[in-house]
Amino acid sequence: MSTMTSTGSTGGPASAPSGPARTKAGRGPHLSGMNWLVWRQHRAACWTLLATAAVTVAGIVYGRHRMVTYLEGHGWPDLQSGWEQGFDQGPLNMAAQLLGFAPLLIGVFMGAPLLAGDLESGTAKLVNAQSAGRVRWLATKLGVTTLVVAVCTTAASVAFTWWWSPVKSSSYVMSWADASAFDSSGPVPVALTLFTVVGGVAIGMLLRRTLLSMAVTFGFAVAVQIVWSHFRMALGDAVTVTTGNGVGDEAFPKLPDSAHVVDQSYLTASGDLIGWGSCAEATEKAATACLEKAQVVGWHVEYLPLSQMSSMQWLGSSILLALTACIAAFVILWGRKRLV
């Protein structure tokens, strides 16, 4: 029985392309080795996050276009008085609230299962038997995941900051000191999300059960948000203003636009401070008598100006990223000897 064999011009068997042809075929960025393995394993979650970020940015671009169109009708960038009356602040507030859920959702669905799934299914034992090593595997898992998370949250944060910037100085639209604005703009969303995700990875590594790790990571993310909400305003350097011309309606000190009042008290003639609610009597006459008895002479007000927002965000984000790096180091050091 005869067989047919393809031959080249020399009559020998055909061979794979070499030289320039092979170089041209392999040209372009591509993943290989451990990077390819990790991306292949988690590509569904990564593509979902990337697609969600793309849709979010597109929605923000559309929202910004509509907002600027309205503002230009009222003289933007030098807005005329009364522009707030017809301004629809709903889309901006809704976007801020949705971005506020990003650390929790990404931490639960990407961070917690990252190692817990491999440990529960036994995949980690298979990887441990290969020549790559645990440290390289852990570093690649963390690196690929945090890179995708950082890119997506940075894109969403930059877009939201750009959308909000034309009305940032107006407390009517959104107060900069509220979580909806402070935690959804600048570097804060990136830092909060990375901290929650890496924390979820550590929880999954220790608990070794996917569903349990996701539940505990949910609680961890909620606790982080609660602690952060109490810690956030302490990042600023409060400015103090005192007055000595009484406490009537016209005597309260004039503060900068969008200033966030940290504390306000009555100032007495002796220089002591008493709570502004100390003389909240039922009648105006009784309240006046109370103020006179306490020898109240003016106000003592502490506030944070809008100008401190950026420095507060970067300081807080630096602390969160430092804690994230510590947790990542713990994951690698613990996993190096005790992962399997």
Side-chain angles (χ1 to χ4, degrees):
M1 180 180 297
S2 63
T3 59
M4 298 184 63
T5 304
S6 299
T7 60
S9 59
T10 60
S15 58
S18 59
R22 176 177 295 180
T23 303
K24 184 176 180 180
R27 190 175 297 168
H30 63 280
L31 296 176
S32 61
M34 187 64 71
N35 293 327
W36 178 87
L37 177 63
V38 171
W39 172 263
R40 182 78 176 175
Q41 184 181 10
H42 301 288
R43 66 187 184 281
C46 292
W47 278 120
T48 300
L49 184 59
L50 289 166
T52 303
V55 172
T56 301
V57 171
I60 289 175
V61 170
Y62 175 71
R64 156 94 181 193
H65 172 72
R66 290 191 60 188
M67 184 183 76
V68 169
T69 301
Y70 170 84
L71 294 178
E72 286 177 344
H74 291 77
W76 184 76
D78 297 321
L79 291 172
Q80 303 169 356
S81 177
W83 66 269
E84 301 97 335
Q85 295 180 2
F87 184 81
D88 184 10
Q89 55 190 356
L92 194 63
N93 286 316
M94 182 177 297
Q97 292 174 5
L98 291 176
L99 288 176
F101 286 110
L104 189 150
L105 295 175
I106 300 175
V108 169
F109 290 102
M110 284 196 71
L114 191 70
L115 294 180
D118 291 340
L119 291 169
E120 187 175 21
S121 64
T123 305
K125 293 182 179 180
L126 177 62
V127 173
N128 186 59
Q130 307 303 313
S131 59
R134 300 179 189 177
V135 173
R136 183 183 173 189
W137 179 62
L138 289 171
T140 305
K141 295 267 278 190
L142 283 172
V144 171
T145 303
T146 54
L147 177 61
V148 173
V149 170
V151 168
C152 293
T153 51
T154 299
S157 177
V158 169
F160 179 82
T161 304
W162 175 63
W163 185 10
W164 179 43
S165 58
V167 293
K168 183 177 180 179
S169 60
S170 174
S171 58
Y172 169 81
V173 178
M174 188 183 301
S175 174
W176 69 269
D178 291 343
S180 56
F182 194 93
D183 297 350
S184 302
S185 60
V188 177
V190 183
L192 271 175
T193 306
L194 288 176
F195 180 66
T196 307
V197 167
V198 177
V201 173
I203 291 171
M205 181 184 66
L206 296 175
L207 297 181
R208 296 171 175 260
R209 294 292 183 271
T210 302
L211 292 179
L212 177 60
S213 299
M214 293 173 70
V216 175
T217 300
F218 179 87
F220 169 74
V222 172
V224 168
Q225 293 288 344
I226 293 174
V227 173
W228 174 252
S229 65
H230 289 284
F231 174 73
R232 183 194 308 115
M233 290 297 104
L235 296 169
D237 185 14
V239 179
T240 301
V241 176
T242 57
T243 63
N245 56 345
V247 293
D249 294 337
E250 302 297 328
F252 193 83
K254 183 173 177 57
L255 304 179
D257 293 339
S258 300
H260 171 69
V261 177
V262 178
D263 187 29
Q264 61 184 43
S265 307
Y266 289 137
L267 178 67
T268 65
S270 61
D272 295 329
L273 301 178
I274 62 174
W276 65 274
S278 301
C279 291
E281 304 294 341
T283 63
E284 182 178 353
K285 183 177 180 180
T288 302
C290 175
L291 292 173
E292 291 176 353
K293 182 178 180 180
Q295 297 183 331
V296 172
V297 296
W299 287 100
H300 174 94
V301 180
E302 297 179 4
Y303 70 92
L304 292 171
L306 174 62
S307 59
Q308 291 194 22
M309 179 182 181
S310 179
S311 60
M312 291 169 63
Q313 286 182 318
W314 281 105
L315 176 58
S317 299
S318 300
I319 295 173
L320 288 171
L321 291 175
L323 293 174
T324 301
C326 292
I327 298 176
F330 166 75
V331 169
I332 292 177
L333 292 175
W334 178 279
R336 182 181 180 183
K337 295 182 178 180
R338 308 183 186 182
L339 185 63
V340 181

